[in-house]
Amino acid sequence: MKELLRSIPPIHELQNQPTFMQLSKKYDVDKTVMTSILRMAIEGLRNQIIAGDLEGSDITSRIWNQMELMLNRKNKSRLLPVINATGTILHTNLGRTRLSRDAINRVVEVASNYSNLEFDIDSGKRGSRHDIVEDLIKEVTGAEAAMVVNNNAAAVFFILNAFGKGKEVIVSRGQLVEIGGSFRISSIMEESGAKLVEVGTTNKTHLKDYKEALSDDTSMVLKVHTSNFKIVGFTEAVSTQQLVDLKQFQEDLIVYEDLGSGVLFDFTEAGIGEEPVVQKVLETGVDIVSFSGDKLLGGPQAGIIAGKKQYIDKLKKHQLARVLRVDKMSFAALEGTLQAYANKKAKDIPAVRDMLLSMEEVRERAMVFLDTVTSLNLFHWELVEVESMVGGGTMPEVKIPSIAVRVHTDTLSSQTLADELRKGTPSVVVRLQDQHVMLDFRTITQGEIPKIVEAFRKIELTYRD
Ligand SMILES: *Cc1c(COP(=O)(O)O)cnc(C)c1O
């Protein structure tokens, strides 16, 4: 190993080799950048040698190969489209959702031009970006007022900071959730300066627990939608309506519900889950709710805050509103998405559409795929019934019946097959279940099918012999 490490030529020597200049010319990269890439290439090889992953000789040509790889990668985008064949509709690692065609068109239009982001066209005076989607949100939720921040985590922090800082906020122990490993209600609350008053137990919290915790220092009761887990069995939680009724004991008490995903389409009517639509929650008289733009709403990353005007007005004037403000492209996408709800065209939104696809519709997609792919004889194909997940920490208990194609080969392990599909262009991310590669067609569009067929064709060409 030491010998291998010693055989790495010094930088200045490599810089004087003709290959260095050739690569510099070929990729049109100047000497300074070339040298820093050279350093990284050497560093990478050194680590490989130390880890015992590299044997053999001719270190120099390995360095040039590594550099060429890095130079190739340098000009390629890092953020790439991926085909989600997992059947998980809100896939957090894969960007959560696809936007609707309308939303995408709105983004392209607004990003390609100047816009009236903060300009009132009627008066010619300065306008407010808060006005862009407020009326639409009011229309689809029935709220008195609304505003939008960067994401729902920001919304939670903002509301706690604006109304709970230095005061007490009451939360049920059953709702002190952690979402996605990086967002804990208790930590966010600590950061916000609000004092957490925990009530009840993990499985049961009663109205009297809240009532007894009320004090002169109480500013708010926070209800958190426990969206990424479900406690079953001997449980009891207090309804939003009951929390709202606590206001009779304390006049200035604010009742805030973090809805997590929040839905504007009533999935319960399609027999899916138990998520109440935002409008229904607001009808209880709750003061403020917040929810994500890119969970089941199917829009861009955003945190939507809706509720009583007196509170929303305060938030709009708060310093943090500037810190957490949303970009024009997000507003454009959000407007495009919300318009679909306002026009009763929620099924134009991919996340909503994929949730509602029937088994038969998914089966049709799978059949189109099978029709073209059966000519590839390296693989065995089988149509199977599976269950799709909603994902994104939403509706954890809900499993939607779906159709998948199960693939295996006699030569490749399922893991190798999954790796090959993932590393292809475009990357195809599959589900591995019972040691089989599964393509769940709930999240695969018609347009993606030829690309997946092509991915298998390439693998067949590589491994045929
Ligand atoms: C997902 C979630 C959040 C965070 O929302 P983001 O849009 O990811 O920032 C906050 N609270 C609950 C209950 C959630 O489910």
Side-chain angles (χ1 to χ4, degrees):
M1 182 173 96
K2 281 205 174 115
E3 212 164 290
L4 262 179
L5 284 174
R6 259 199 302 274
S7 70
I8 298 175
I11 298 260
H12 64 88
E13 216 169 85
L14 290 163
Q15 280 172 325
N16 288 328
Q17 290 196 13
T19 314
F20 188 84
M21 279 316 292
Q22 280 159 15
L23 287 176
S24 168
K25 266 217 185 90
K26 180 171 170 193
Y27 290 93
D28 192 22
V29 171
D30 69 26
K31 195 174 163 187
T32 321
V33 176
M34 280 291 290
T35 306
S36 78
I37 292 174
L38 177 59
R39 284 215 170 85
M40 284 192 277
I42 292 174
E43 181 69 24
L45 282 181
R46 207 190 293 275
N47 290 339
Q48 265 181 295
I49 293 170
I50 292 168
D53 291 343
L54 196 92
E55 300 150 10
S57 53
D58 204 1
I59 286 290
T60 310
S61 75
R62 278 180 192 270
I63 291 174
W64 298 135
N65 284 343
Q66 185 59 30
M67 270 197 87
E68 184 131 27
L69 264 177
M70 292 166 86
L71 285 160
N72 262 320
R73 217 179 292 151
K74 188 172 157 325
N75 291 324
K76 285 215 192 97
S77 306
R78 293 295 285 262
L79 189 58
L80 299 167
V82 162
I83 294 176
N84 174 11
T86 66
T88 300
I89 296 158
L90 304 179
H91 202 303
T92 302
N93 302 142
L94 304 182
R96 276 196 188 159
T97 65
R98 281 184 272 249
L99 290 176
S100 70
R101 196 34 60 192
D102 279 349
I104 294 162
N105 290 342
R106 299 287 299 128
V107 173
V108 172
E109 194 181 15
V110 166
S112 323
N113 295 284
Y114 288 103
S115 62
N116 62 338
L117 182 64
E118 291 193 347
F119 181 66
D120 183 343
I121 291 177
D122 285 339
S123 68
K125 296 210 174 77
R126 193 196 158 116
S128 164
R129 68 178 70 208
H130 294 310
D131 295 341
I132 296 170
V133 292
E134 181 168 16
D135 285 344
L136 254 179
I137 298 171
K138 280 156 64 175
E139 184 183 337
V140 296
T141 65
E144 266 180 30
M147 73 178 289
V148 182
V149 292
N150 237 305
N151 53 30
N152 190 33
V156 176
F157 173 80
F158 187 21
I159 294 163
L160 288 172
N161 179 278
F163 301 115
K165 191 176 175 183
K167 298 183 196 144
E168 292 179 355
V169 174
I170 305 173
V171 189
S172 157
R173 286 199 174 86
Q175 295 167 8
L176 288 171
V177 295
E178 174 175 303
I179 297 137
S182 59
F183 178 85
R184 263 192 194 167
I185 291 290
S186 51
S187 315
I188 289 286
M189 197 170 261
E190 199 176 313
E191 292 292 335
S192 76
K195 190 162 166 271
L196 170 65
V197 177
E198 301 175 27
V199 295
T201 61
T202 308
N203 60 332
K204 280 201 168 197
T205 304
H206 305 277
L207 187 60
K208 72 170 177 6
D209 296 326
Y210 285 97
K211 217 164 138 184
E212 283 164 8
L214 287 175
S215 82
D216 289 345
D217 293 329
T218 308
S219 69
M220 190 188 289
V221 170
L222 164 64
K223 182 174 183 194
V224 184
H225 192 73
T226 50
S227 48
N228 60 349
F229 70 100
K230 194 171 171 85
I231 297 176
V232 288
F234 191 58
T235 67
E236 184 156 336
V238 179
S239 73
T240 309
Q241 187 63 66
Q242 287 174 298
L243 293 179
V244 170
D245 293 342
L246 283 174
K247 285 157 75 83
Q248 64 183 298
F249 303 107
Q250 194 158 321
E251 213 184 329
D252 55 356
L253 181 72
I254 299 173
V255 180
Y256 161 41
E257 181 161 358
D258 169 16
L259 290 171
S261 175
V263 293
L264 298 178
F265 181 90
D266 193 351
F267 289 102
T268 62
E269 278 184 8
I272 304 170
E274 299 164 0
E275 200 97 1
V277 290
V278 175
Q279 180 151 19
K280 281 263 149 40
V281 180
L282 284 166
E283 277 169 10
T284 62
V286 67
D287 296 302
I288 312 169
V289 299
S290 71
F291 50 99
S292 288
D294 57 349
K295 286 188 180 170
L296 280 176
L297 196 80
Q301 179 188 305
I304 298 168
I305 304 173
K308 305 246 169 83
K309 189 168 184 306
Q310 67 179 111
Y311 301 115
I312 305 293
D313 281 349
K314 258 198 164 148
L315 292 174
K316 284 179 184 168
K317 289 192 199 103
H318 196 284
Q319 275 298 314
L320 278 175
R322 175 67 173 76
V323 176
L324 305 172
R325 82 178 186 186
V326 169
D327 174 57
K328 59 181 175 296
M329 290 193 282
S330 305
F331 272 124
L334 188 58
E335 186 173 33
T337 307
L338 292 170
Q339 274 164 347
Y341 288 102
N343 299 330
K344 307 275 175 263
K345 287 187 173 168
K347 286 172 198 164
D348 289 353
I349 299 166
V352 176
R353 179 198 62 209
D354 291 349
M355 288 281 289
L356 298 176
L357 279 181
S358 69
M359 282 271 261
E360 281 56 50
E361 288 167 305
V362 183
R363 193 191 305 271
E364 262 170 48
R365 291 179 179 184
M367 293 303 290
V368 171
F369 173 77
L370 277 184
D371 278 349
T372 31
V373 93
T374 35
S375 62
L376 301 178
N377 37 35
L378 181 71
F379 309 96
H380 306 285
W381 316 94
E382 198 183 341
L383 211 64
V384 290
E385 291 187 6
V386 292
E387 285 170 332
S388 307
M389 303 281 287
V390 180
T394 307
M395 298 189 186
E397 76 286 11
V398 172
K399 298 201 165 56
I400 309 175
S402 187
I403 295 287
V405 170
R406 182 156 63 191
V407 199
H408 77 270
T409 76
D410 299 329
T411 43
L412 301 179
S413 73
S414 294
Q415 187 60 57
T416 307
L417 181 55
D419 291 346
E420 289 289 337
L421 287 164
R422 195 186 62 249
K423 289 178 184 169
T425 311
S427 175
V428 180
V429 180
V430 299
R431 179 166 10 144
L432 274 176
Q433 193 175 308
D434 308 326
Q435 315 209 328
H436 281 293
V437 166
M438 297 277 203
L439 308 168
D440 184 336
F441 278 79
R442 180 170 295 280
T443 48
I444 298 170
T445 61
Q446 296 279 0
E448 286 169 333
I449 290 174
K451 295 177 189 168
I452 303 176
V453 173
E454 193 47 39
F456 278 103
R457 201 187 306 281
K458 273 190 201 150
I459 295 169
E460 168 145 319
L461 282 176
T462 313
Y463 287 95
R464 198 164 35 191
D465 303 316

